[in-house]
Amino acid sequence: MKNVSGNKKGRPGAVRSGRKGNKQVGSGGQGAQALEGRKPTPKAEDRPYHPAGKRKAAKERFDAAKGRHGASSSPQNRTSRPPARKTDDSELVTGRNSVLEALRTKTPSSTLYIASRIEVDDRVKEILALANHRGLPIIELMRPELDRITGHDSVHQGLALKVPAYQYAVAEDIVEQAFSRDQVPLLVALDGITDPRNLGAIIRSTAAFGGHGVVVPQRRSVGVTASAWKTSAGAAARTPVAMAPNLTQTLKSLKSMGLFVLGLDGDGDIELDGLELADRPIVIVVGSEGKGLSRLVTETCDAIVSIPISSATESLNAGIAASVTLWEVARRRRSA
């Protein structure tokens, strides 16, 4: 009879030990443990890597932080604060809306450039009035020269305002300020976004839907450039942008202050229309259109949210995804 066990000798079905020599004396109770079987499977909420477990941990952090909403967070909970990035490099804010918003919000400015024979509308009249009131030098340039100093790909609409390099805020300060006003913080953090137009669009949407600020990483990320100013249509003048030395550590610091971290991803475990955390303090993390959220940021999130879209569309632009999510959060907060 053929030996089906694969052993050359011995009883059919027997398994030969690969260990040479005599059997080790004493099993240390291993045999008894094997007879006991596996322990009961923990509940979903007791498993730290399960979405339900993350939600439970986030709720516990939120409840523990309720008493600290009006107070400053302790130093050990804060991320290291780099000095606000300040250089001698100036930026040119271009476009009528952007220049007007910068002057309205008293953004530090040094010079206003205006194209000769510009078509004067109500915005241009207000810009000139504000610049004269502040005593800003107004330099009239021929349009080709204004094209040159603003960059030939810039749509300046005949106006440019010279401003100092952008002064970044600190994420924890934005949250503390919202709590001090009895407001529910709503922030947007960018993970790997390098297109200034996306940043500008997200700043604009954050301002439009009641957000309190935007967070960008210090490395491998876009900053507030003239292009971002332009795309934000002036919202960058009234919506603070914070710079995080390390995005993951900053998100953990915000979690310790009671915020829920929601990442946006097409394969999320929660659909946006089923989001139940809209009335809580939130930071929404948006990844790049190509790579999405990084691994460390994903592990830091309390939940990953997906936006239901048509199967014919592969993904949404980062700026659009942020806008849709902000709108849904704002809608739910209004109806709460």
Side-chain angles (χ1 to χ4, degrees):
M1 180 178 68
K2 185 177 180 180
N3 190 346
V4 296
S5 68
N7 296 321
K8 294 181 180 180
K9 297 180 180 180
R11 301 185 309 278
V15 179
R16 298 179 63 193
S17 172
R19 185 179 298 176
K20 294 182 179 181
N22 295 330
K23 182 178 180 180
Q24 185 176 356
V25 178
S27 64
Q30 294 176 6
Q33 292 177 5
L35 293 174
E36 291 177 0
R38 295 182 178 272
K39 296 181 180 179
T41 302
K43 296 180 179 179
E45 62 182 16
D46 294 330
R47 284 176 267 171
Y49 297 103
H50 193 281
K54 289 187 176 183
R55 287 194 292 271
K56 178 182 177 183
K59 184 178 184 304
E60 292 174 350
R61 286 197 310 274
F62 174 66
D63 293 339
K66 280 184 177 178
R68 303 197 303 268
H69 283 182
S72 299
S73 59
S74 56
Q76 61 266 29
N77 287 335
R78 286 179 174 267
T79 53
S80 58
R81 291 190 176 197
R85 190 166 71 182
K86 184 176 181 180
T87 67
D88 293 331
D89 296 332
S90 297
E91 291 280 355
L92 284 176
V93 177
T94 60
R96 301 188 183 195
N97 287 335
S98 299
V99 171
L100 181 56
E101 284 294 331
L103 291 173
R104 280 176 175 172
T105 54
K106 299 181 180 180
T107 301
S109 312
S110 57
T111 308
L112 175 65
Y113 298 98
I114 185 168
S116 57
R117 297 181 182 179
I118 186 174
E119 181 181 348
V120 178
D121 59 10
D122 290 340
R123 291 174 296 176
V124 174
K125 290 178 182 178
E126 186 176 354
I127 287 169
L128 292 173
L130 290 171
N132 282 317
H133 180 73
R134 292 176 54 178
L136 287 179
I138 301 175
I139 299 178
E140 186 174 0
L141 299 174
M142 298 299 292
R143 193 167 288 271
E145 179 62 14
L146 190 57
D147 291 341
R148 186 188 66 80
I149 68 172
T150 60
H152 291 280
D153 57 345
S154 173
V155 183
H156 51 69
Q157 298 177 308
L159 287 166
L161 182 68
K162 189 175 183 181
V163 299
Y166 187 82
Q167 300 298 297
Y168 291 91
V170 177
E172 292 89 346
D173 289 347
I174 299 174
V175 173
E176 287 176 2
Q177 189 174 32
F179 279 140
S180 68
R181 296 174 178 174
D182 293 327
Q183 298 174 345
V184 183
L186 174 59
L187 277 70
V188 179
L190 278 58
D191 181 19
I193 304 295
T194 57
D195 189 340
R197 292 169 296 183
N198 271 332
L199 173 59
I202 290 171
I203 293 173
R204 188 174 185 178
S205 296
T206 302
F209 297 115
H212 295 91
V214 177
V215 182
V216 297
Q218 190 170 12
R219 295 178 296 174
R220 295 186 292 275
S221 175
V222 65
V224 183
T225 62
S227 179
W229 264 95
K230 171 70 176 177
T231 311
S232 75
R238 59 184 184 275
T239 303
V241 177
M243 178 165 284
N246 182 293
L247 182 58
T248 302
Q249 294 303 318
T250 296
L251 292 176
K252 290 180 179 179
S253 177
L254 296 178
K255 289 172 73 169
S256 72
M257 298 177 72
L259 273 70
F260 291 86
V261 181
L262 305 180
L264 295 185
D265 189 89
D267 297 324
D269 47 72
I270 299 176
E271 288 195 350
L272 182 60
D273 53 3
L275 182 64
E276 299 179 353
L277 299 173
D279 60 337
R280 306 294 181 88
I282 291 174
V283 53
I284 301 167
V285 189
V286 186
S288 64
E289 189 173 352
K291 297 181 180 179
L293 298 173
S294 63
R295 179 181 61 83
L296 291 177
V297 168
T298 301
E299 292 175 355
T300 306
C301 291
D302 295 306
I304 305 298
V305 180
S306 64
I307 301 174
I309 58 176
S310 168
S311 58
T313 305
E314 183 177 352
S315 63
L316 292 177
N317 170 273
I320 295 175
S323 298
V324 171
T325 306
L326 285 165
W327 176 84
E328 177 65 13
V329 170
R331 184 188 69 82
R332 286 175 174 266
R333 287 188 173 187
R334 285 194 301 269
S335 60

